[in-house]
Amino acid sequence: MTPQAPTPAYRRLSVEERRSQLLDAALGLFAHRAPEDVSLDDVAEAAGVSRPLVYRYFPGGKQQLYEAALRSAAEELQHCFDEPREGPPLPRLARALDRYLTFVDEHDAGFSALLQGGSVVETSRTTAIVDGVRRAAAEHIFSHLGVTDPGPRLRMTVRMWITAVEAASLIWLDEDKQPPADELRDWLVEQFVAVLTVTAGRDPQTAALVAGLAGDG
């Protein structure tokens, strides 16, 4: 008589694994519905767990879960800008955008939920989470450009470009990820140079920066 294959042992999830599971389920829901239309029962069902278990990990209820989900997506997105300070700055920016667009491609629900959190849910904490990603991106860019004390025109230009990158990413998802990611990346780098060039006509600091980028090229 052929012995039966052993039944796989049930593996209990660790605290971090369970928390990650709940956050992933929540991000998927928050990306496609307004937060007020998502209940803890919805999150529990999406994760395949009970409502009391969700409360055990997030005793503050849906608002705590929502903020934790946003923070999880924000922390992962910020890592996209980690790039060694080696070589010309524009290729570095292109590599950072490659990682950024890969994140958008692979985590479209989380990315959408993150940006929606900055405008749909009007609380100081959620706004701070989203704004923190934008500020971190700006600081990384200034660091790559070798700028330690950006003036108001340069700061505004970089922040405007970051907003344009966010908008382009959301439109890219809505347009079935067309054009291809590498084409979008190159286009965004070219737009970065273009907006700097416009600002350079009004700001000596940006003019010197643009001249340096042209020399690196």
XYZ file of all heavy atoms in Angstrom, residues 122-216:
726
model
N -8.669 64.420 4.431
C -8.136 65.690 4.909
C -7.811 65.623 6.395
O -8.551 66.127 7.237
C -9.129 66.809 4.610
C -9.364 67.016 3.112
C -10.350 68.120 2.839
O -10.879 68.705 3.811
O -10.596 68.403 1.660
N -6.716 64.967 6.700
C -6.210 64.981 8.062
C -4.750 65.395 7.999
O -4.072 65.168 6.998
C -6.319 63.598 8.742
O -5.351 62.718 8.161
C -7.704 63.001 8.586
N -4.284 65.999 9.065
C -2.907 66.475 9.073
C -1.916 65.318 8.971
O -0.862 65.451 8.345
C -2.639 67.292 10.341
O -2.866 66.502 11.504
N -2.259 64.157 9.531
C -1.319 63.041 9.524
C -1.172 62.436 8.133
O -0.061 62.161 7.686
C -1.760 61.968 10.534
C -1.604 62.388 11.987
C -1.869 61.234 12.922
N -3.224 60.726 12.803
C -4.270 61.214 13.483
N -4.100 62.217 14.311
N -5.467 60.691 13.337
N -2.294 62.207 7.440
C -2.191 61.615 6.107
C -1.548 62.585 5.127
O -0.751 62.183 4.279
C -3.577 61.185 5.583
O -4.469 62.306 5.628
C -4.138 60.050 6.410
N -1.869 63.854 5.253
C -1.240 64.847 4.383
C 0.260 64.882 4.622
O 1.059 64.985 3.684
C -1.846 66.237 4.625
O -3.253 66.188 4.350
C -1.194 67.282 3.724
N 0.670 64.777 5.885
C 2.093 64.801 6.211
C 2.807 63.583 5.636
O 3.970 63.678 5.205
C 2.279 64.854 7.727
N 2.156 62.422 5.619
C 2.767 61.214 5.066
C 3.062 61.401 3.581
O 4.172 61.125 3.099
C 1.854 59.994 5.278
C 1.768 59.639 6.772
C 2.369 58.786 4.487
C 0.683 58.631 7.096
N 2.074 61.892 2.840
C 2.253 62.089 1.399
C 3.259 63.193 1.128
O 4.141 63.066 0.273
C 0.898 62.407 0.739
C 1.080 62.655 -0.751
C -0.076 61.257 0.957
N 3.145 64.286 1.863
C 4.068 65.398 1.660
C 5.498 64.985 2.000
O 6.459 65.488 1.409
C 3.647 66.588 2.511
C 4.373 67.865 2.121
O 4.385 68.194 0.919
O 4.946 68.521 3.010
N 5.645 64.065 2.953
C 6.974 63.593 3.313
C 7.683 62.918 2.148
O 8.898 63.062 1.979
N 6.936 62.177 1.327
C 7.532 61.537 0.150
C 8.014 62.604 -0.825
O 9.122 62.524 -1.378
C 6.507 60.615 -0.539
C 7.095 60.027 -1.824
C 6.086 59.495 0.394
N 7.191 63.623 -1.038
C 7.561 64.682 -1.982
C 8.778 65.449 -1.494
O 9.687 65.769 -2.276
C 6.374 65.629 -2.160
C 5.175 64.952 -2.824
C 3.941 65.797 -2.758
N 2.810 65.110 -3.407
C 1.541 65.242 -3.029
N 1.237 66.021 -1.992
N 0.592 64.606 -3.661
N 8.822 65.738 -0.209
C 9.970 66.473 0.331
C 11.244 65.635 0.265
O 12.321 66.152 -0.030
C 9.679 66.907 1.771
C 8.620 67.988 1.863
C 8.407 68.457 3.292
N 7.374 69.460 3.357
C 7.556 70.758 3.101
N 8.765 71.193 2.771
N 6.562 71.614 3.186
N 11.097 64.328 0.554
C 12.263 63.442 0.467
C 12.780 63.381 -0.969
O 14.000 63.399 -1.201
C 11.898 62.047 0.964
N 11.878 63.324 -1.938
C 12.289 63.304 -3.342
C 13.031 64.585 -3.701
O 14.075 64.554 -4.368
C 11.069 63.129 -4.243
N 12.514 65.728 -3.248
C 13.164 67.009 -3.543
C 14.554 67.065 -2.921
O 15.522 67.504 -3.565
C 12.303 68.166 -3.031
N 14.691 66.601 -1.684
C 15.996 66.625 -1.022
C 17.001 65.732 -1.746
O 18.177 66.078 -1.880
C 15.853 66.201 0.438
C 15.126 67.219 1.307
C 15.773 68.590 1.259
O 17.016 68.671 1.364
O 15.044 69.585 1.089
N 16.538 64.576 -2.214
C 17.420 63.697 -2.977
C 17.887 64.389 -4.258
O 19.072 64.306 -4.627
C 16.704 62.398 -3.333
C 16.749 61.359 -2.255
N 17.867 60.608 -1.996
C 15.806 60.944 -1.368
C 17.630 59.767 -0.996
N 16.384 59.956 -0.599
N 16.972 65.062 -4.935
C 17.327 65.732 -6.192
C 18.348 66.836 -5.939
O 19.353 66.953 -6.651
C 16.059 66.288 -6.866
C 15.207 65.122 -7.389
C 16.422 67.234 -8.014
C 13.839 65.528 -7.880
N 18.109 67.652 -4.918
C 19.066 68.717 -4.611
C 20.435 68.133 -4.265
O 21.472 68.684 -4.647
C 18.553 69.584 -3.457
C 17.360 70.432 -3.818
C 16.253 70.496 -2.978
C 17.343 71.163 -4.991
C 15.157 71.275 -3.318
C 16.250 71.943 -5.339
C 15.148 72.002 -4.497
N 20.429 67.030 -3.540
C 21.692 66.401 -3.181
C 22.439 65.920 -4.418
O 23.657 66.121 -4.545
C 21.433 65.230 -2.227
O 22.632 64.563 -1.911
N 21.718 65.297 -5.353
C 22.352 64.823 -6.581
C 22.869 65.988 -7.426
O 23.862 65.848 -8.145
C 21.371 63.990 -7.395
C 21.140 62.610 -6.847
N 22.150 61.693 -6.720
C 20.022 62.008 -6.373
C 21.666 60.565 -6.204
N 20.371 60.737 -5.981
N 22.180 67.127 -7.340
C 22.607 68.296 -8.103
C 23.723 69.056 -7.409
O 24.269 70.009 -7.981
C 21.409 69.232 -8.330
C 20.280 68.692 -9.221
C 19.119 69.671 -9.236
C 20.779 68.426 -10.634
N 24.052 68.664 -6.190
C 25.097 69.360 -5.452
C 24.659 70.707 -4.913
O 25.497 71.590 -4.689
N 23.354 70.872 -4.680
C 22.806 72.138 -4.186
C 22.467 71.983 -2.708
O 21.627 71.156 -2.346
C 21.549 72.542 -4.980
C 20.954 73.829 -4.416
C 21.879 72.715 -6.454
N 23.135 72.774 -1.865
C 22.879 72.686 -0.420
C 21.909 73.750 0.078
O 21.293 73.582 1.122
C 24.199 72.819 0.360
O 24.827 74.052 0.004
C 25.140 71.666 0.021
N 21.768 74.830 -0.667
C 20.887 75.918 -0.230
C 20.088 76.442 -1.420
O 20.355 77.532 -1.938
C 21.720 77.045 0.393
C 20.842 78.123 1.026
O 19.678 77.823 1.362
O 21.332 79.266 1.167
N 19.083 75.678 -1.878
C 18.316 76.104 -3.062
C 17.485 77.347 -2.770
O 16.865 77.472 -1.713
C 17.413 74.896 -3.351
C 17.285 74.196 -2.032
C 18.599 74.402 -1.340
N 17.488 78.263 -3.704
C 16.670 79.461 -3.587
C 15.212 79.157 -3.887
O 14.867 78.053 -4.327
N 14.338 80.142 -3.683
C 12.893 79.897 -3.841
C 12.498 79.484 -5.258
O 11.611 78.643 -5.428
C 12.258 81.223 -3.439
C 13.354 82.241 -3.534
C 14.611 81.511 -3.223
N 13.141 80.066 -6.282
C 12.759 79.706 -7.654
C 13.178 78.275 -7.983
O 12.429 77.538 -8.619
C 13.379 80.690 -8.646
C 12.760 82.092 -8.576
C 13.438 83.040 -9.557
N 12.824 84.363 -9.518
C 13.139 85.300 -8.628
N 14.060 85.042 -7.693
N 12.541 86.488 -8.654
N 14.372 77.896 -7.548
C 14.823 76.529 -7.802
C 13.978 75.531 -7.015
O 13.603 74.472 -7.541
C 16.303 76.390 -7.441
C 16.926 74.997 -7.655
C 16.740 74.528 -9.086
C 18.413 75.013 -7.278
N 13.682 75.846 -5.763
C 12.832 74.945 -4.964
C 11.472 74.766 -5.629
O 10.953 73.643 -5.733
C 12.641 75.505 -3.548
C 13.816 75.310 -2.629
C 13.394 75.411 -1.167
N 12.651 76.630 -0.896
C 13.190 77.788 -0.548
N 14.512 77.884 -0.448
N 12.454 78.842 -0.300
N 10.885 75.875 -6.085
C 9.569 75.778 -6.720
C 9.636 74.952 -7.995
O 8.740 74.134 -8.270
C 9.033 77.177 -7.031
C 7.637 77.164 -7.647
S 6.976 78.825 -7.926
C 6.708 79.350 -6.222
N 10.706 75.131 -8.764
C 10.840 74.392 -10.020
C 10.913 72.889 -9.766
O 10.238 72.093 -10.437
C 12.097 74.851 -10.770
O 11.985 76.252 -11.057
C 12.268 74.088 -12.076
N 11.732 72.487 -8.806
C 11.871 71.061 -8.504
C 10.566 70.488 -7.960
O 10.143 69.390 -8.350
C 13.032 70.835 -7.515
C 13.031 69.395 -6.992
C 14.358 71.152 -8.185
N 9.904 71.236 -7.080
C 8.635 70.737 -6.533
C 7.567 70.632 -7.608
O 6.750 69.694 -7.606
C 8.182 71.644 -5.389
C 9.079 71.547 -4.151
C 8.657 72.502 -3.064
N 7.338 72.156 -2.537
C 6.707 72.891 -1.610
N 7.272 73.982 -1.124
N 5.525 72.511 -1.179
N 7.545 71.593 -8.534
C 6.591 71.517 -9.646
C 6.860 70.277 -10.494
O 5.929 69.590 -10.935
C 6.694 72.775 -10.508
C 6.083 74.027 -9.883
S 6.484 75.521 -10.836
C 5.847 75.084 -12.448
N 8.136 69.982 -10.729
C 8.469 68.821 -11.550
C 8.056 67.532 -10.850
O 7.543 66.607 -11.489
C 9.963 68.808 -11.865
C 10.373 67.625 -12.695
C 10.183 67.462 -14.039
C 11.022 66.441 -12.229
N 10.687 66.242 -14.436
C 11.208 65.596 -13.344
C 11.484 66.026 -10.981
C 11.818 64.352 -13.245
C 12.099 64.788 -10.874
C 12.262 63.962 -12.002
N 8.264 67.447 -9.543
C 7.842 66.255 -8.791
C 6.334 66.060 -8.915
O 5.843 64.941 -9.099
C 8.276 66.380 -7.317
C 9.798 66.262 -7.210
C 7.597 65.305 -6.457
C 10.351 66.612 -5.853
N 5.574 67.155 -8.836
C 4.123 67.067 -9.018
C 3.785 66.561 -10.412
O 2.865 65.755 -10.594
C 3.486 68.446 -8.793
O 3.779 68.896 -7.471
C 1.972 68.382 -8.964
N 4.535 67.031 -11.423
C 4.306 66.578 -12.795
C 4.605 65.088 -12.943
O 3.897 64.372 -13.660
C 5.162 67.395 -13.763
N 5.649 64.608 -12.256
C 5.989 63.177 -12.305
C 4.851 62.352 -11.699
O 4.458 61.312 -12.244
C 7.315 62.910 -11.570
C 7.545 61.406 -11.409
C 8.480 63.537 -12.327
N 4.312 62.809 -10.574
C 3.191 62.105 -9.954
C 1.999 62.043 -10.901
O 1.380 60.987 -11.088
C 2.785 62.806 -8.662
C 3.784 62.692 -7.535
C 3.323 63.438 -6.299
O 2.274 64.117 -6.370
O 4.008 63.339 -5.268
N 1.656 63.196 -11.489
C 0.509 63.249 -12.394
C 0.732 62.353 -13.608
O -0.172 61.610 -14.030
C 0.259 64.692 -12.831
N 1.949 62.403 -14.171
C 2.250 61.575 -15.331
C 2.143 60.087 -14.986
O 1.663 59.288 -15.801
C 3.650 61.894 -15.849
N 2.549 59.723 -13.779
C 2.494 58.313 -13.363
C 1.061 57.829 -13.258
O 0.731 56.710 -13.689
C 3.216 58.132 -12.028
O 4.572 58.511 -12.132
N 0.194 58.656 -12.692
C -1.215 58.275 -12.586
C -1.862 58.186 -13.974
O -2.649 57.267 -14.240
C -1.964 59.284 -11.710
C -1.653 59.225 -10.217
C -2.330 60.367 -9.484
C -2.074 57.887 -9.612
N -1.550 59.141 -14.842
C -2.091 59.093 -16.207
C -1.552 57.868 -16.933
O -2.280 57.201 -17.681
C -1.726 60.384 -16.972
C -2.414 61.587 -16.322
C -2.131 60.282 -18.441
C -1.936 62.930 -16.840
N -0.281 57.546 -16.711
C 0.325 56.363 -17.332
C -0.431 55.088 -16.946
O -0.701 54.233 -17.796
C 1.786 56.287 -16.897
C 2.606 55.202 -17.506
C 2.907 55.051 -18.830
C 3.263 54.133 -16.812
N 3.720 53.947 -19.006
C 3.953 53.366 -17.790
C 3.358 53.766 -15.476
C 4.698 52.248 -17.460
C 4.111 52.650 -15.139
C 4.765 51.898 -16.126
N -0.797 54.976 -15.671
C -1.590 53.820 -15.244
C -2.956 53.819 -15.922
O -3.456 52.772 -16.341
C -1.763 53.836 -13.718
C -0.510 53.585 -12.884
C -0.839 53.732 -11.399
C 0.077 52.200 -13.168
N -3.555 55.001 -16.033
C -4.882 55.114 -16.645
C -4.834 54.819 -18.142
O -5.838 54.409 -18.729
C -5.439 56.521 -16.392
C -6.920 56.614 -16.679
O -7.675 55.742 -16.186
O -7.337 57.540 -17.406
N -3.680 55.032 -18.758
C -3.515 54.808 -20.201
C -2.893 53.442 -20.495
O -2.206 53.269 -21.507
C -2.639 55.920 -20.794
C -3.270 57.306 -20.768
C -4.415 57.450 -21.757
O -4.461 56.658 -22.731
O -5.255 58.336 -21.553
N -3.130 52.486 -19.606
C -2.623 51.121 -19.793
C -1.107 51.080 -19.941
O -0.547 50.327 -20.752
C -3.282 50.449 -21.000
C -4.780 50.262 -20.812
O -5.196 49.982 -19.675
O -5.534 50.419 -21.794
N -0.437 51.948 -19.152
C 1.031 51.980 -19.079
C 1.681 52.227 -20.438
O 2.666 51.599 -20.815
C 1.559 50.688 -18.441
C 1.023 50.496 -17.029
C 1.443 49.181 -16.406
C 0.828 49.034 -15.004
N 1.121 47.739 -14.376
N 1.092 53.174 -21.141
C 1.662 53.649 -22.395
C 1.945 55.142 -22.283
O 1.159 55.863 -21.686
C 0.703 53.381 -23.564
C 0.535 51.918 -23.899
C 1.831 51.278 -24.368
O 2.619 51.906 -25.097
N 2.071 50.046 -23.942
N 3.067 55.641 -22.804
C 4.094 54.929 -23.567
C 4.901 53.982 -22.695
O 4.740 53.987 -21.467
C 4.973 56.085 -24.085
C 4.835 57.140 -23.049
C 3.408 57.057 -22.588
N 5.796 53.168 -23.273
C 6.627 52.263 -22.476
C 7.389 53.017 -21.392
O 7.709 54.204 -21.545
C 7.574 51.649 -23.511
C 6.834 51.753 -24.807
C 6.053 53.024 -24.726
N 7.695 52.331 -20.309
C 8.295 52.972 -19.135
C 9.618 53.661 -19.467
O 9.886 54.759 -18.963
C 8.507 51.941 -18.032
N 10.454 53.046 -20.317
C 11.740 53.679 -20.617
C 11.559 54.976 -21.403
O 12.302 55.940 -21.212
C 12.671 52.711 -21.352
C 12.071 52.165 -22.641
O 10.855 52.343 -22.867
O 12.823 51.550 -23.430
N 10.541 55.009 -22.259
C 10.251 56.242 -22.994
C 9.723 57.322 -22.057
O 10.113 58.501 -22.158
C 9.246 55.960 -24.100
C 8.924 57.167 -24.963
C 7.920 56.855 -26.062
O 7.857 55.678 -26.502
O 7.186 57.779 -26.469
N 8.855 56.925 -21.138
C 8.330 57.880 -20.159
C 9.457 58.417 -19.286
O 9.514 59.624 -18.996
C 7.263 57.205 -19.301
C 6.645 58.056 -18.188
C 6.002 59.320 -18.746
C 5.620 57.235 -17.394
N 10.354 57.539 -18.865
C 11.503 57.956 -18.057
C 12.329 59.021 -18.768
O 12.642 60.076 -18.201
C 12.366 56.751 -17.742
C 13.681 57.079 -17.037
C 14.723 56.019 -17.322
N 15.040 55.956 -18.754
C 15.432 54.861 -19.389
N 15.550 53.715 -18.762
N 15.712 54.909 -20.689
N 12.689 58.766 -20.029
C 13.503 59.718 -20.780
C 12.766 61.047 -20.959
O 13.376 62.119 -20.873
C 13.870 59.142 -22.153
C 14.843 57.972 -22.053
O 15.479 57.816 -20.980
O 14.951 57.209 -23.029
N 11.480 60.963 -21.197
C 10.662 62.169 -21.385
C 10.648 63.005 -20.108
O 10.784 64.232 -20.155
C 9.253 61.728 -21.788
C 8.317 62.838 -22.152
C 8.643 64.081 -22.627
C 6.896 62.795 -22.089
N 7.502 64.802 -22.860
C 6.420 64.042 -22.550
C 5.982 61.817 -21.702
C 5.065 64.350 -22.617
C 4.631 62.120 -21.775
C 4.174 63.365 -22.222
N 10.526 62.342 -18.963
C 10.501 63.062 -17.688
C 11.853 63.718 -17.385
O 11.902 64.824 -16.847
C 10.095 62.112 -16.556
C 8.640 61.642 -16.580
C 8.405 60.554 -15.526
C 7.683 62.806 -16.360
N 12.946 63.036 -17.728
C 14.267 63.645 -17.543
C 14.404 64.874 -18.442
O 14.908 65.929 -18.020
C 15.391 62.632 -17.840
C 16.759 63.324 -17.831
C 15.375 61.507 -16.806
N 13.944 64.761 -19.690
C 14.005 65.896 -20.605
C 13.144 67.062 -20.098
O 13.537 68.234 -20.219
C 13.547 65.461 -21.999
C 14.514 64.512 -22.693
C 13.887 63.807 -23.884
O 12.709 64.094 -24.202
O 14.571 62.958 -24.499
N 11.994 66.740 -19.528
C 11.146 67.795 -18.964
C 11.827 68.461 -17.778
O 11.699 69.681 -17.583
C 9.800 67.205 -18.531
C 8.888 66.859 -19.686
C 7.506 66.440 -19.218
O 7.302 66.115 -18.051
N 6.555 66.437 -20.126
N 12.566 67.689 -16.986
C 13.293 68.262 -15.856
C 14.295 69.309 -16.346
O 14.374 70.425 -15.810
C 14.005 67.145 -15.094
C 14.766 67.609 -13.890
C 14.111 68.130 -12.788
C 16.150 67.512 -13.860
C 14.819 68.558 -11.670
C 16.874 67.932 -12.746
C 16.198 68.457 -11.648
N 15.053 68.954 -17.373
C 16.026 69.897 -17.932
C 15.301 71.110 -18.513
O 15.759 72.259 -18.366
C 16.892 69.206 -18.997
C 17.832 70.219 -19.667
C 17.692 68.065 -18.386
N 14.157 70.871 -19.153
C 13.423 71.965 -19.789
C 12.918 72.983 -18.763
O 13.062 74.196 -18.959
C 12.258 71.403 -20.601
N 12.343 72.500 -17.656
C 11.813 73.452 -16.674
C 12.951 74.189 -15.965
O 12.819 75.371 -15.621
C 10.878 72.762 -15.649
C 9.628 72.237 -16.339
C 11.589 71.649 -14.891
N 14.078 73.496 -15.767
C 15.242 74.184 -15.199
C 15.726 75.276 -16.145
O 16.106 76.375 -15.704
C 16.370 73.190 -14.938
C 16.239 72.252 -13.733
C 17.430 71.312 -13.691
C 16.128 73.031 -12.424
N 15.715 74.982 -17.436
C 16.177 75.957 -18.416
C 15.288 77.184 -18.426
O 15.781 78.327 -18.533
C 16.221 75.318 -19.817
O 17.089 74.172 -19.784
C 16.720 76.293 -20.859
N 13.986 77.005 -18.303
C 13.068 78.147 -18.240
C 13.354 78.989 -17.003
O 13.445 80.223 -17.065
C 11.606 77.664 -18.254
C 10.663 78.829 -17.975
C 11.269 77.022 -19.593
N 13.525 78.328 -15.861
C 13.805 79.049 -14.619
C 15.155 79.753 -14.681
O 15.341 80.827 -14.091
C 13.767 78.079 -13.421
O 12.495 77.440 -13.365
C 14.011 78.810 -12.100
N 16.098 79.163 -15.398
C 17.441 79.752 -15.501
C 17.402 81.157 -16.076
O 18.271 81.990 -15.774
C 18.337 78.860 -16.354
N 16.398 81.449 -16.910
C 16.291 82.787 -17.477
C 15.917 83.840 -16.456
O 16.045 85.044 -16.734
N 15.482 83.420 -15.270
C 15.066 84.351 -14.228
C 15.870 84.210 -12.934
O 15.674 84.974 -12.008
C 13.583 84.135 -13.900
C 12.637 84.426 -15.050
C 11.208 84.063 -14.702
N 10.284 84.405 -15.771
C 9.656 85.573 -15.885
N 9.865 86.517 -14.967
N 8.826 85.807 -16.876
N 16.720 83.188 -12.859
C 17.383 82.888 -11.590
C 18.840 82.507 -11.827
O 19.119 81.467 -12.441
C 16.635 81.733 -10.903
C 17.274 81.333 -9.588
O 17.641 82.231 -8.807
O 17.405 80.118 -9.338
N 19.793 83.314 -11.354
C 21.214 83.016 -11.566
C 21.635 81.668 -10.987
O 22.471 80.970 -11.579
C 21.921 84.170 -10.846
C 20.927 85.279 -10.816
C 19.596 84.615 -10.685
N 21.093 81.275 -9.835
C 21.471 79.988 -9.249
C 21.118 78.845 -10.188
O 21.915 77.934 -10.427
C 20.777 79.794 -7.897
C 21.163 78.487 -7.210
C 20.372 78.229 -5.930
O 19.177 78.505 -5.860
N 21.054 77.723 -4.899
N 19.894 78.887 -10.739
C 19.472 77.831 -11.662
C 20.248 77.900 -12.962
O 20.576 76.859 -13.558
C 17.963 77.932 -11.927
O 17.250 77.966 -10.688
C 17.469 76.751 -12.739
N 20.601 79.118 -13.393
C 21.395 79.270 -14.629
C 22.747 78.578 -14.487
O 23.224 77.890 -15.395
C 21.561 80.745 -14.957
N 23.391 78.764 -13.334
C 24.681 78.112 -13.097
C 24.527 76.594 -13.055
O 25.380 75.842 -13.558
C 25.282 78.616 -11.788
N 23.428 76.138 -12.500
C 23.158 74.705 -12.434
C 22.973 74.114 -13.818
O 23.536 73.052 -14.143
C 21.921 74.463 -11.569
C 21.470 73.019 -11.363
C 22.557 72.208 -10.689
C 20.189 72.993 -10.533
N 22.188 74.800 -14.657
C 21.956 74.318 -16.013
C 23.260 74.288 -16.813
O 23.518 73.356 -17.585
C 20.901 75.201 -16.715
C 20.818 74.873 -18.208
C 19.531 74.999 -16.059
N 24.104 75.305 -16.626
C 25.392 75.321 -17.313
C 26.241 74.125 -16.890
O 26.930 73.509 -17.723
C 26.129 76.621 -17.007
N 26.190 73.775 -15.605
C 26.925 72.614 -15.132
C 26.404 71.318 -15.707
O 27.174 70.424 -16.068
N 25.068 71.207 -15.839
C 24.489 70.002 -16.431
C 24.893 69.871 -17.884
O 25.149 68.773 -18.371
C 22.960 70.056 -16.300
C 22.374 69.931 -14.901
C 20.869 70.071 -14.936
C 22.760 68.595 -14.262
N 24.951 70.994 -18.595
C 25.363 70.959 -19.998
C 26.821 70.517 -20.103
O 27.198 69.749 -20.999
C 25.187 72.344 -20.627
N 27.637 70.938 -19.168
C 29.041 70.521 -19.163
C 29.193 69.041 -18.882
O 30.031 68.359 -19.488
N 28.317 68.509 -17.985
C 28.367 67.073 -17.689
C 27.943 66.251 -18.889
O 28.380 65.119 -19.088
C 27.447 66.735 -16.517
C 28.015 67.243 -15.201
O 29.246 67.360 -15.105
O 27.221 67.524 -14.268
